[in-house]
Amino acid sequence: MSIATNNIALNLEKIRKDFPVLNREVNGYPLVYLDNAATSQTPKQVMDAIVDYYSNYNANIHRGVHSLSQEATDKYEAARKTIQQHFNAEKLHEIIFTAGTTHGINLVANGFASILKKGDEILVSAMEHHSNIVPWQILCEKTGAVLKVIPMNQEGELVYEEFEALLSEKTKMVFVNHVSNALGTINPIKKIIDKAHEYNAAVLIDGAQAAPHIKADVQALDADFYVVSAHKMCGPTGVGILYGKEEWLNKMPPYQGGGEMIATVSFDKTTYADLPHKFEAGTPNICGGIAFGAALDYMNAIGFEPIARYEEELLNYATLKLQEIEGMQFYGTSREKTAVISFNIEGLHPYDIGTLVDKMGIAVRTGHHCAQPIMDFYKIPGTVRASFSFYNTKEEIDRFIEALKKAKMMLS
Ligand SMILES: *Cc1c(COP(=O)(O)O)cnc(C)c1O
């Protein structure tokens, strides 16, 4: 592994000024935020969009004839357009606003309850977030469909041959994350999608952890569904999108009933609105949707390629430095991975490490990372997870390593 020190195309000094929280202290130390896989920090450009909305044009959308309502509608729909362009969806109405990844997956699982039949099979990978497991288990209970698991190996990579072997005419759906939040593995989703399509199975990609690092092109991937959360990519919590191919979205019944999603309502019969509104019942997170658009604008202005290159540099640097610590055990050593490092130090509990480094101002995640099956696979209760973003620096990694060494001394 080499450390490329050239090619730093990011203006870090400028970028870090965009994130006010990076200036604060925690327990008397400057904050080092390495929990980006749980949620990312928010740049002031996104905060400005939020303040602008509430200061100048807060109104309900799609209904009012008054100017404020129209302005809010225009901005909300402009954000949908930004999102469509970002993910290269063919049609604007293939972008459904949701409350986030979990909501998007539940929406699809609910839709397929009326499509699947007893004995149908659905495949889920062994390295999914709980939100890409539990909705499918509920779907199986409702329909009598059978959930099968695509296994992974010690490196934290899916075993492609086993996936192929699981496919049959019975396979109706496949669910895989683009990137594992617990291990950082980048899965070969294009290959998986193409293979699944040979069996006419629909593929849902959980893009929550990929979206902050990789610009996905849903048409090039030929994904049937792609779900993300804004809060992992510089946007606010409680908002995200479901991309779905029009053909599938038309086959699925509405998820929730209420306002916004209807065409006409009477006590005899209600007809539903066209896409995307059919799946957008109730007053949405208007400000959140607009802020999500602002977050994408912000990240695209920096550029996903320079971001990916820089984050890889951080990953390589941190991996090398962590290897200096005796008893270091890494989980997830896939050749293709994003800047996530899951590890344990021999003899120490991840929770104790997390607690001690927090005393030195460093935020990392400890535990099962909402992916208990992965922890069971490695026969561990959890890991320490450091996850990096484009606003992190090598100096921060040095502080993290120092803190780990201190914590280790105190604990052993
Ligand atoms: C964060 C995450 C989720 C859940 O996202 P929510 O915003 O909590 O709905 C699902 N899958 C992956 C891979 C994630 O990283």
Side-chain angles (χ1 to χ4, degrees):
M1 211 178 299
S2 71
I3 306 172
T5 43
N6 50 349
N7 264 337
I8 302 183
L10 302 189
N11 185 345
L12 274 173
E13 206 177 314
K14 181 168 174 293
I15 287 171
R16 288 179 65 84
K17 283 202 184 111
D18 292 335
F19 292 84
V21 76
L22 298 178
N23 290 320
R24 70 162 282 182
E25 293 195 344
V26 169
N27 297 322
Y29 293 84
L31 167 69
V32 174
Y33 186 77
L34 303 180
D35 193 18
N36 295 285
T39 201
S40 57
Q41 294 301 339
T42 313
K44 63 179 190 304
Q45 288 81 347
V46 171
M47 297 182 202
D48 288 348
I50 293 169
V51 172
D52 183 38
Y53 171 80
Y54 284 110
S55 307
N56 295 309
Y57 64 99
N58 175 27
N60 211 329
I61 55 170
H62 297 145
R63 283 175 263 230
V65 294
H66 62 79
S67 300
L68 246 56
S69 172
Q70 283 178 9
E71 209 172 311
T73 304
D74 289 349
K75 291 261 174 55
Y76 190 62
E77 290 305 323
R80 195 193 303 273
K81 184 86 198 159
T82 301
I83 295 163
Q84 178 205 358
Q85 286 167 345
H86 178 81
F87 291 104
N88 195 32
E90 189 188 349
K91 295 168 183 144
L92 187 59
H93 59 247
E94 292 175 322
I95 302 294
I96 314 289
F97 276 114
T98 63
T101 302
T102 305
H103 176 198
I105 295 172
N106 278 280
L107 191 162
V108 177
N110 182 76
F112 270 75
S114 57
I115 296 174
L116 293 192
K117 294 184 186 59
K118 194 167 190 295
D120 283 345
E121 293 179 359
I122 61 180
L123 308 185
V124 64
S125 103
M127 64 171 83
E128 297 307 305
H129 189 283
H130 295 160
S131 71
N132 203 20
I133 300 175
V134 184
W136 309 118
Q137 291 174 322
I138 295 171
L139 176 63
C140 286
E141 275 170 29
K142 277 192 207 163
T143 59
V146 181
L147 188 70
K148 299 208 161 172
V149 181
I150 307 163
M152 62 181 233
N153 62 22
Q154 283 297 322
E155 284 70 44
E157 295 169 333
L158 291 178
V159 186
Y160 184 78
E161 296 70 34
E162 302 256 6
F163 161 64
E164 274 188 313
L166 283 170
L167 284 165
S168 77
E169 304 77 58
K170 288 187 188 162
T171 313
K172 297 294 181 248
M173 305 182 82
V174 176
F175 323 110
V176 182
N177 54 35
H178 193 166
V179 169
S180 156
N181 65 301
L183 304 173
T185 309
I186 303 174
N187 285 308
I189 55 166
K190 175 65 183 153
K191 208 170 144 190
I192 289 170
I193 291 168
D194 287 347
K195 195 75 203 167
H197 283 170
E198 288 178 20
Y199 295 81
N200 296 317
V203 184
L204 178 139
I205 302 296
D206 172 352
Q209 204 59 234
H213 314 287
I214 302 166
K215 191 166 173 161
D217 179 330
V218 292
Q219 287 188 77
L221 288 168
D222 202 20
D224 298 290
F225 300 100
Y226 197 95
V227 285
V228 305
S229 297
H231 72 91
K232 302 245 170 114
M233 47 192 319
C234 299
T237 56
V239 66
I241 59 104
L242 159 69
Y243 159 79
K245 276 188 191 160
E246 180 183 40
E247 175 199 346
W248 282 117
L249 293 176
N250 279 333
K251 276 185 200 157
M252 289 166 27
Y255 180 39
Q256 292 178 318
E260 283 276 317
M261 55 74 72
I262 51 90
T264 61
V265 175
S266 79
F267 286 112
D268 295 329
K269 182 163 177 60
T270 288
T271 55
Y272 305 132
D274 290 335
L275 294 173
H277 306 295
K278 173 178 147 188
F279 292 109
E280 296 182 345
T283 300
N285 184 349
I286 303 166
C287 177
I290 292 166
F292 187 10
L296 288 181
D297 285 342
Y298 177 79
M299 290 190 75
N300 278 309
I302 296 172
F304 276 74
E305 295 242 327
I307 286 175
R309 237 183 293 127
Y310 176 64
E311 287 177 348
E312 186 174 10
E313 210 176 299
L314 290 179
L315 173 68
N316 292 345
Y317 182 76
T319 305
L320 266 183
K321 288 273 176 171
L322 283 168
Q323 279 165 0
E324 291 170 7
I325 297 173
E326 215 183 305
M328 178 63 56
Q329 172 72 50
F330 294 111
Y331 301 95
T333 48
S334 165
R335 257 171 305 137
E336 298 285 337
K337 64 180 283 188
T338 58
V340 170
I341 303 179
S342 245
F343 66 90
N344 276 323
I345 300 174
E346 203 184 338
L348 307 184
H349 198 283
Y351 179 82
D352 294 336
I353 297 174
T355 307
L356 275 182
V357 299
D358 176 63
K359 297 267 180 290
M360 297 173 250
I362 290 156
V364 289
R365 183 74 171 255
T366 63
H368 57 59
H369 319 298
C370 298
Q372 274 183 3
I374 297 181
M375 303 303 136
D376 293 346
F377 174 83
Y378 288 115
K379 300 187 172 61
I380 50 174
T383 69
V384 181
R385 182 186 68 185
S387 51
F388 307 96
S389 178
F390 59 90
Y391 44 70
N392 288 126
T393 64
K394 288 185 183 165
E395 291 71 39
E396 290 182 316
I397 292 172
D398 291 340
R399 275 204 39 220
F400 173 47
I401 304 291
E402 276 312 299
L404 274 180
K405 286 180 177 165
K406 254 190 215 163
K408 185 168 186 257
M409 248 165 39
M410 290 160 81
L411 290 167
S412 27

